[in-house]
Amino acid sequence: MLITHDTRCSLDAVVDLVNTAPEEDGADGLAHVAALGDFVRTHNVSDVGALSERDLDDVRQVRARFAEVFADPEPRSAAAIINELIAAAGTTPRLTDHDGYDWHVHYFAPGASVADHLAADCGMALAFFVVAGEQDRLRRCEAPDCRRAFVDLSRNRSRRYCDSRTCGNRLHVAAYRARRKEAAG
């Protein structure tokens, strides 16, 4: 599956957006407008003006819908969610080259809110996975104490953890220690 630079940026943004949602007893990564501003800057979300509480509420709603896509194993229902997000965003595909990037497609309408921008661009990135029959690459970490979202871009679709150096390594070490303890008797 060919993933262009702008699609990869949108995938990174949607994964990070979904991962800002509070887990049980966790903090909301988008607790206030300043956090949304940080998210926008971190992901170089272009054409975003001053942010407001309304923007924050709208982005949280988009985040919840994207979380549903990551949780939904059925392409038809995931496609319905993605279609709703994209349609509500007033998608207007257009070619652009800006900020040192070569030609790429923006799916959000000029002057769109940050929520509509994320819904359109990130929704299209997820749509490509559904169209390619690769929706199963949209996953949640299998570590028992972690449910972070990620996109498995490995060749053989074998990635199980959001980060092999933290979640994956922690579980492998625990399994190794359990085997050693059992062998010692």
Side-chain angles (χ1 to χ4, degrees), residues 1-159:
M1 176 174 184
L2 175 67
I3 299 175
T4 62
H5 175 325
D6 51 312
T7 300
R8 180 59 193 253
C9 290
S10 294
L11 287 173
D12 291 344
V14 72
V15 165
D16 287 351
L17 179 62
V18 169
N19 288 333
T20 64
E23 295 292 323
E24 296 129 37
D25 301 335
D28 188 336
L30 294 179
H32 41 75
V33 175
L36 178 58
D38 291 342
F39 179 89
V40 165
R41 281 186 294 283
T42 297
H43 291 284
N44 296 317
V45 180
S46 58
D47 297 331
V48 174
L51 298 171
S52 67
E53 287 291 331
R54 169 74 187 224
D55 289 315
L56 182 60
D57 291 340
D58 291 347
V59 168
R60 286 177 180 156
Q61 290 175 17
V62 167
R63 173 181 71 183
R65 298 307 313 267
F66 281 139
E68 291 177 43
V69 172
F70 275 84
D72 196 333
E74 294 299 320
R76 186 166 307 282
S77 51
I81 295 167
I82 293 167
N83 283 339
E84 288 172 18
L85 284 165
I86 292 170
T91 306
T92 307
R94 60 190 167 94
L95 287 167
T96 184
D97 65 338
H98 62 88
D99 298 331
Y101 295 109
D102 206 356
W103 288 104
H104 59 282
V105 179
H106 279 186
Y107 295 97
F108 62 95
S113 70
V114 66
D116 285 345
H117 181 136
L118 292 170
D121 277 356
C122 296
M124 288 303 300
L126 295 179
F128 295 140
F129 278 79
V130 174
V131 167
E134 301 283 352
Q135 182 190 345
D136 61 334
R137 290 181 180 266
L138 308 176
R139 299 190 176 159
R140 292 288 188 158
C141 185
E142 290 182 19
D145 59 340
C146 179
R147 296 298 302 151
R148 293 179 59 82
F150 68 94
V151 178
D152 179 3
L153 296 177
S154 67
R155 285 183 186 217
N156 62 358
R157 298 183 180 118
S158 62
R159 188 170 162 197

